[in-house]
Amino acid sequence: MSRLLPLILERRKPGRIRPDLGAFRSSLAELGDPQRRFPSVIIVGTNGKGSTAVMLDAVLASHGLRTGLYTSPHLVRVEERIRVAGEPLESDELAHHLAALDRFDELTFFETLTAAAFLAFADRDIDCAVLEAGMGGRWDATRAASSEVAGLTNVGSDHGAWLGESREERAADKGSALAAARFAVLGRQLEPELVPLVGAPEALAASDLVRVERLTPRLVGATWQDGSAEIALPLDGSHQLHNLQLALALALGTVHLEWLETLDPGAVKAGLDRTVWPGRLSSHRVFGRRILVDCAHNAEGTLALADHLAAQPVLYHLLFSCLDDNPVEAMDRSLWPKVCNVVVCPLEDDRAMSLERLHAAFPDCRSAPSVRRALALLPDPVLVAGSVRLAGELLASVEEAT
């Protein structure tokens, strides 16, 4: 990795969000407004944004579009966040774009990477971009792209200090991204009582645009107005069925805006067959062990994970850790009944949750001073969950992935 990446990013303001896009928009204007040189889709929500984005990107690319994909956070390398034609930027290319942003001292870490993504996409002359919002919808830096197609996965309990303590406030915050789009879609995981609160009366329900049903445990039948396909669901978990439905509904939005001529069943199947998204119930070989890794890091994510575990023929042993702002008590209530042994460990992060609080959440658990030593304490099969940081530490040592 270029030495320039950490040097430029480390000094950026640690604030996770700020209620003002003025400075960010001004910086983009000085750079020639690169975000205006390509159309884009924005995906907002609490969980499932990245999975929906990567599936949509694959579908659009399989139709011949040169796509840009922007996601966050990264698991192992920061370059993962910005992809063109399915490939992460090279370190030197990202460093080049970050260097152009070095003079804008007021930008946050996330704003800096978002601007770098816009610069890279404009420089690479993409046909369209798929943007995963970082947090919320009203003040997220991805909003500067003025995306014409927008989707909302769900509204959960995360980030109340920034987005509002009530579900109504969080729904309105995320919904602002949909209200600004020409084609907006609500995912099936959005509770019906929240729909009026989103503030996007013209938004369509994904379930009205695309019908999906399981044909076998992994094979899905998808039907839309002009076509249908039998698809091997690329990501495990019943919640991914809803993310797939939203991705296909958003793809229909690009047809509506004439970015695509039609949604071709063969291209849909081919694109999804090539979809890979590590850390979402994915299996890997690490330190000589086969482990299951999931990025579930909040109350809703661990509920979805618990539902998946309940349907499995084996009982997993859990390696768990999280950051200090995660609702560990709620996560414990979901996961503890669905696993056997639990080992907790600290994370290499300034915001890591203390071992004392982890122990309090998981009574009778064991602890270890590192991820590697924690893994050694558990018999097979092992599940790793609780934090994107934890998943990243394990995936950095992958020997072989399936």
Side-chain angles (χ1 to χ4, degrees):
M1 178 185 292
S2 168
R3 293 180 180 179
L4 203 55
L5 297 187
L7 288 177
I8 291 176
L9 291 174
E10 279 179 4
R11 64 180 176 80
R12 291 297 173 182
K13 297 176 183 177
R16 305 176 78 175
I17 193 171
R18 58 177 174 179
D20 181 10
L21 288 176
F24 184 55
R25 292 185 189 276
S26 295
S27 300
L28 292 175
E30 288 190 45
L31 295 166
D33 281 321
Q35 78 281 7
R36 295 183 180 176
R37 291 171 53 185
F38 51 85
S40 62
V41 180
I42 187 172
I43 301 169
V44 299
T46 302
N47 291 318
K49 301 188 300 291
S51 297
T52 302
V54 75
M55 287 191 277
L56 174 60
D57 178 73
V59 168
L60 297 179
S62 70
H63 283 78
L65 295 182
R66 182 173 174 80
T67 61
L69 174 65
Y70 180 57
T71 60
S72 63
H74 59 276
L75 288 171
V76 180
R77 302 170 64 240
V78 70
E79 294 90 340
E80 297 169 23
R81 296 179 180 229
I82 306 172
R83 300 172 186 256
V84 175
E87 296 296 326
L89 293 191
E90 294 292 337
S91 295
D92 289 345
E93 183 180 0
L94 178 54
H96 168 74
H97 294 303
L98 290 174
L101 298 161
D102 196 39
R103 59 193 169 101
F104 301 108
D105 291 330
E106 71 280 8
L107 297 185
T108 65
F109 180 93
F110 185 74
E111 288 171 340
T112 301
L113 283 171
T114 304
F118 293 160
L119 288 169
F121 295 160
D123 188 56
R124 292 283 204 97
D125 196 26
I126 64 168
D127 295 314
C128 67
V130 177
L131 309 174
E132 177 192 359
M135 186 190 301
R138 180 170 288 117
W139 304 114
D140 196 80
T142 55
R143 285 293 309 282
S146 300
S147 301
E148 294 184 284
V149 179
L152 171 60
T153 59
N154 47 53
V155 175
S157 56
D158 269 11
H159 311 307
W162 291 274
L163 308 182
E165 294 297 341
S166 71
R167 296 170 75 212
E168 293 80 5
E169 290 175 296
R170 294 192 293 272
D173 186 284
K174 296 175 191 294
S176 62
L178 277 70
R182 291 174 58 194
F183 191 97
V185 184
L186 303 176
R188 193 172 175 179
Q189 297 178 76
L190 182 68
E191 295 92 334
E193 64 269 23
L194 293 181
V195 172
L197 306 175
V198 169
E202 302 301 318
L204 304 171
S207 56
D208 288 340
L209 297 169
V210 180
R211 180 170 174 261
V212 293
E213 61 176 337
R214 282 194 182 274
L215 305 177
T216 69
R218 198 62 186 262
L219 192 65
V220 174
T223 305
W224 54 96
Q225 183 176 5
D226 299 319
S228 63
E230 291 188 359
I231 301 162
L233 191 62
L235 306 173
D236 278 339
S238 59
H239 55 289
Q240 295 294 358
L241 194 67
H242 304 313
N243 293 332
L244 170 64
Q245 184 178 50
L246 179 57
L248 293 178
L250 292 170
L252 288 174
T254 69
V255 174
H256 177 76
L257 297 185
E258 299 183 343
W259 305 356
L260 292 179
E261 183 177 341
T262 187
L263 195 60
D264 177 70
V268 168
K269 183 179 184 303
L272 292 170
D273 281 346
R274 294 191 295 268
T275 300
V276 177
W277 197 226
R280 282 75 181 177
L281 287 171
S282 57
S283 174
H284 305 269
R285 187 172 180 82
V286 181
F287 304 137
R289 305 281 298 281
R290 178 65 60 182
I291 63 173
L292 184 66
V293 181
D294 194 69
C295 286
H297 61 281
N298 55 29
E300 293 80 15
T302 48
L303 273 174
L305 175 56
D307 287 343
H308 177 78
L309 294 175
Q312 301 310 299
V314 297
L315 193 62
Y316 281 87
H317 305 275
L318 177 64
L319 194 168
F320 184 93
S321 193
C322 64
L323 299 181
D324 59 8
D325 60 349
N326 292 140
V328 66
E329 291 79 14
M331 298 164 77
D332 155 54
R333 287 193 295 271
S334 299
L335 293 178
W336 187 249
K338 302 296 190 302
V339 298
C340 191
N341 297 296
V342 177
V343 174
V344 298
C345 63
L347 293 174
E348 295 180 4
D349 192 288
D350 292 339
R351 295 183 295 120
M353 185 169 289
S354 68
L355 284 178
E356 291 75 17
R357 188 174 170 197
L358 290 170
H359 267 287
F362 289 92
D364 301 322
C365 71
R366 301 176 69 185
S367 62
S370 69
V371 169
R372 184 165 189 164
R373 291 180 66 177
L375 182 61
L377 293 176
L378 290 169
D380 294 328
V382 172
L383 164 69
V384 176
S387 168
V388 175
R389 299 287 193 282
L390 178 62
E393 283 195 40
L394 268 298
L395 294 178
S397 301
V398 163
E399 301 160 9
E400 172 195 356
T402 59

